[in-house]
Amino acid sequence: MVLALNKNYIQIILLLLLGFMGMNSLCAQKLTVSVHNIKPVSGNLMVGIFNSGKEFPDVYYKGVKTQITDTIMVVTFTDLPKGKYAVSAYQDMNKNGRLDRNIIGIPKEKYGFSNKDNKPDYTKSAFDFNNDLTINITLN
């Protein structure tokens, strides 16, 4: 009887441990975004994270707005589950909460994406996010 009871306890403990280990693989990680070439030092920095290309780069999954205080700004996202993401950033000079464009749709404010050519293409901007990560974006 005592042996059976101990065996049941061991099974329960093992199941709990496996459950916690499984939860650890789903646990949120930290994404740090370092935004460069912010000139002049004024306005707001808008940084958005996208988890699909459906509405990229206009409607973000998570976003941050912060007042610009330097030519390089760092924004950290916590509680971000593992997955595939893309990031966009822009300098909202007039603080109106949107990327202003000219009459033919070309941005009038500096912007950038989580890829090297700074074109709004989710497929090219996307990256796998599995562990804490820092990415750099240069505004153009």
Side-chain angles (χ1 to χ4, degrees), residues 67-83:
Q67 184 173 346
I68 293 172
T69 58
D70 204 343
T71 59
I72 298 173
M73 298 284 294
V74 176
V75 175
T76 301
F77 292 88
T78 56
D79 300 326
L80 191 63
K82 295 177 180 182

Side-chain angles (χ1 to χ4, degrees), residues 50-66:
F50 302 83
N51 58 1
S52 79
K54 187 174 181 180
E55 295 180 329
F56 180 80
D58 299 315
V59 181
Y60 54 80
Y61 165 65
K62 289 190 177 203
V64 169
K65 173 178 83 171
T66 187

Side-chain angles (χ1 to χ4, degrees), residues 111-127:
Y111 65 94
F113 301 100
S114 53
N115 65 7
K116 301 298 179 195
D117 59 4
N118 283 322
K119 294 179 182 168
D121 183 328
Y122 179 82
T123 303
K124 289 183 180 179
S125 298
F127 55 91

Side-chain angles (χ1 to χ4, degrees), residues 22-23 28-29 31 36 54 78-79 87 125:
M23 286 176 52
Q29 306 293 318
L31 176 64
H36 301 256
K54 187 174 181 180
T78 56
D79 300 326
V87 179
S125 298

Side-chain angles (χ1 to χ4, degrees), residues 76-96:
T76 301
F77 292 88
T78 56
D79 300 326
L80 191 63
K82 295 177 180 182
K84 186 175 277 293
Y85 296 98
V87 179
S88 75
Y90 70 92
Q91 184 174 6
D92 186 10
M93 291 294 296
N94 57 4
K95 299 182 180 181
N96 66 354

